[in-house]
Amino acid sequence: MSAERPTLPPVRLHTEAELARDALAAPLLARAVRLAGWAGPETRVGAGGELVEEQLPAAAEHLGLTADEDGAAEASEAWRLAVDAGLVDVEDPEEAAGEDAEGTVAAGENLALITGGSPQDVLSIWLDGLEAVHADATAPFFEDLADLVGEDGSIDFESLDWDPDAEAEFLDGVLGNLYLLTAGDIGTDVAAVPLPALAASVIVPDDMVEPTDDILEQVSEAMMRLDDQFRVLEPIGIVEYRPVDEALLAEAGEDAAPPADDEDITRYGMVKLTPLGLYGIRARMLEAGVDAPAIGDLADKGADVLLGGIAYYPETAARSEVELWLARRGEDGAAAELLAAARGADQQAPLRRLHCQQALALVGAEAEPAVRAVLDDPELGGLARVWLAELGAADVPAPPEPMIFWLAIDTMAAQLEADGDLDELQGLVEDLAGRHNGFFDEAWRVEHPATADVLEAMGRLHSDKKKAKEARKAAFKARSRTRA
């Protein structure tokens, strides 16, 4: 039942039905679907599956795009996505047909799924499209690709001064930081992030107080890269993006320097991860083996997995996870299962007991019989008394003195394991020490695995030097007793 700290905070995802609707409404996928329905036996494609240039005006017209280079480019992007997402199947011409031969097009297997499949089917197709767009966003712009292709058909990447892995890693790092900012705002409307701040988050070293001119130049270059990349990513629906003001680019040439303090930051680009983007980035992280939890992951698990899983969740996220667990599990027998899972002498056990007590509050009065059944339990008896008192129950027996001290150590151990706020921890330490006369004279005798560690922490945190010294002495006695 041990818990591991999650790499990322949990996120609250929209339902699959809502996400599928968002995916279908994403401009690029919507256009790709329309083009897939438009394509037929007369559609002409090149050897690489791309629409031939003569077909682009008709494709753009079908999509309601402008009859110019921009419209043709957007139609070409939509067609590429239709191919990459399996909405159309392209059969290349036979080699013997010659260089000018054209391929044939048929409806892809995914076209029927995108229009009549389940939300999971739609999201799976959208994720395929996201991968393709992500690759496009990290690709360099070529004036003439033919000049870069060798005799064997391969591209000489070294001559491009372009590292595809490094480019993908850079963009993934930026999207990861954007994900972190979004994940931390469960239940709130997520604000857009200024592009300079996002660029700085992956360029400026954490320990650098004042950026150097070289670092500022790198941030400026990163902003321009991200401006191009977010313009490519926005049509697939993962971000809401306000591009860098074109006037700034005209004023500064190719690079826009980071803004001064008194400038309008929005002119330098603003970006926000959408709910669909949160889902998509998380899916990519899971595919890469990253631990990226979501609210609801534990709803069908046992109480031991639940309490272990939420051990390091923020309070709001932990409460939401417990509510979903109770909704699926039902309140009948839930209290007894939670209490059984809260037992243990491992490092995370105090934190499980803390979350158990909070979960029991959500169960309500129905938990009282199960809670009363553990009043004599050495690990759960103190928790049970506190819970019953908070419920306002009658006939709650007074705890024996050893249980009072055991509960104090257990409570402090839980807060330390959770890496609580320093000021709150200090307040708890001073409250515990001040509530009981001679606290440290008795606390070192407590039969709890964390006694010595808790007393050492109290010695560090107590603002009263005399009390802090008493805590350190008590910690030494506790360790000596354990060794003996």
Side-chain angles (χ1 to χ4, degrees):
M1 294 191 294
S2 65
E4 294 183 1
R5 296 177 185 268
T7 306
L8 296 166
V11 296
R12 187 190 300 278
L13 299 176
H14 286 195
T15 66
E16 288 187 335
E18 291 171 322
L19 292 170
R21 285 195 293 271
D22 289 345
L24 291 171
L28 187 55
L29 182 60
R31 290 171 183 167
V33 172
R34 291 177 63 188
L35 279 188
W38 163 82
E42 302 302 317
T43 305
R44 299 163 56 198
V45 295
E50 75 284 358
L51 280 176
V52 297
E53 189 172 346
E54 293 80 6
Q55 288 262 257
L56 290 175
E61 182 182 3
H62 181 75
L63 295 175
L65 300 172
T66 56
D68 55 19
E69 288 185 1
D70 289 341
E74 290 182 44
S76 179
E77 290 171 0
W79 179 260
R80 288 203 308 273
L81 184 69
V83 174
D84 291 333
L87 301 175
V88 293
D89 286 337
V90 174
E91 186 172 342
D92 292 332
E94 297 181 2
E95 293 185 10
E99 293 183 2
D100 297 330
E102 296 172 351
T104 58
V105 176
E109 181 180 352
N110 284 345
L111 182 58
L113 290 176
I114 202 81
T115 55
S118 67
Q120 294 95 324
D121 293 328
V122 172
L123 290 172
S124 177
I125 295 168
W126 179 82
L127 285 172
D128 289 341
L130 174 60
E131 287 300 312
V133 174
H134 183 282
D136 287 343
T138 59
F141 174 75
F142 302 117
E143 290 289 348
D144 191 350
L145 183 61
D147 293 340
L148 302 172
V149 180
E151 295 181 359
D152 60 353
S154 63
I155 296 177
D156 182 9
F157 289 115
E158 292 184 5
S159 67
L160 295 174
D161 190 25
W162 175 64
D163 184 341
D165 292 334
E167 285 294 326
E169 184 178 348
F170 170 77
L171 181 55
D172 285 338
V174 170
L175 292 174
N177 285 356
L178 198 55
Y179 180 94
L180 274 173
L181 292 170
T182 307
D185 289 328
I186 288 181
T188 62
D189 185 26
V190 181
V193 180
L195 195 61
L198 194 57
S201 72
V202 293
I203 298 296
V204 181
D206 293 336
D207 58 353
M208 180 174 284
V209 179
E210 190 70 29
T212 63
D213 289 343
D214 178 61
I215 289 294
L216 289 175
E217 184 178 348
Q218 291 181 49
V219 170
S220 177
E221 292 173 355
M223 285 169 52
M224 295 302 96
R225 288 164 67 188
L226 289 173
D227 182 57
D228 290 338
Q229 290 171 338
F230 283 131
R231 289 173 191 261
V232 174
L233 290 170
E234 185 180 32
I236 198 64
I238 75 165
V239 292
E240 295 176 11
Y241 183 54
R242 176 175 174 173
V244 176
D245 190 336
E246 296 289 347
L248 283 175
L249 301 180
E251 293 168 8
E254 293 184 1
D255 294 332
D261 293 339
D262 59 347
E263 287 190 82
D264 179 8
I265 192 68
T266 62
R267 296 185 66 200
Y268 290 81
M270 302 289 290
V271 63
K272 174 181 177 179
L273 204 60
T274 65
L276 183 62
L278 191 67
Y279 165 83
I281 301 306
R282 176 176 180 263
R284 285 175 53 82
M285 288 179 171
L286 293 176
E287 183 70 21
V290 177
D291 179 16
I295 302 299
D297 283 351
L298 309 176
D300 59 348
K301 304 295 191 294
D304 55 343
V305 178
L306 172 72
L307 295 182
I310 65 174
Y312 305 104
Y313 278 18
E315 183 177 349
T316 301
R319 181 184 180 91
S320 296
E321 192 68 62
V322 171
E323 288 173 340
L324 290 173
W325 185 83
L326 287 172
R328 178 170 294 194
R329 165 68 174 73
E331 295 177 354
D332 184 28
E337 188 178 347
L338 287 166
L339 288 163
R343 289 189 174 92
D346 56 280
Q347 184 176 339
Q348 287 83 24
L351 206 46
R352 287 202 305 277
R353 285 186 279 273
L354 176 63
H355 283 298
C356 173
Q357 183 176 335
Q358 294 167 346
L360 291 172
L362 298 177
V363 177
E366 292 81 0
E368 184 172 354
V371 174
R372 286 191 177 275
V374 299
L375 282 170
D376 296 329
D377 187 291
E379 293 181 351
L380 304 177
L383 173 158
R385 285 167 171 79
V386 171
W387 186 86
L388 288 168
E390 291 176 348
L391 183 68
D395 302 324
V396 181
E401 189 171 83
M403 184 176 287
I404 294 175
F405 285 98
W406 194 96
L407 180 60
I409 295 294
D410 199 60
T411 301
M412 188 66 193
Q415 296 297 335
L416 289 170
E417 181 64 21
D419 291 331
D421 178 78
L422 186 59
D423 290 337
E424 292 181 3
L425 281 173
Q426 189 174 41
L428 178 60
V429 165
E430 296 180 359
D431 178 65
L432 288 174
R435 191 183 302 174
H436 309 286
N437 290 327
F439 177 85
F440 296 113
D441 292 334
E442 298 296 331
W444 67 270
R445 297 183 173 89
V446 173
E447 297 286 345
H448 190 293
T451 296
D453 291 336
V454 166
L455 291 172
E456 279 187 358
M458 295 181 79
R460 293 192 303 271
L461 292 168
H462 208 297
S463 61
D464 186 301
K465 292 183 178 180
K466 182 180 178 181
K467 292 292 185 183
K469 186 176 181 180
E470 290 177 8
R472 291 193 294 271
K473 284 184 177 180
F476 177 79
K477 289 181 180 180
R479 293 206 186 281
S480 299
R481 180 180 56 81
T482 301
R483 287 194 294 268

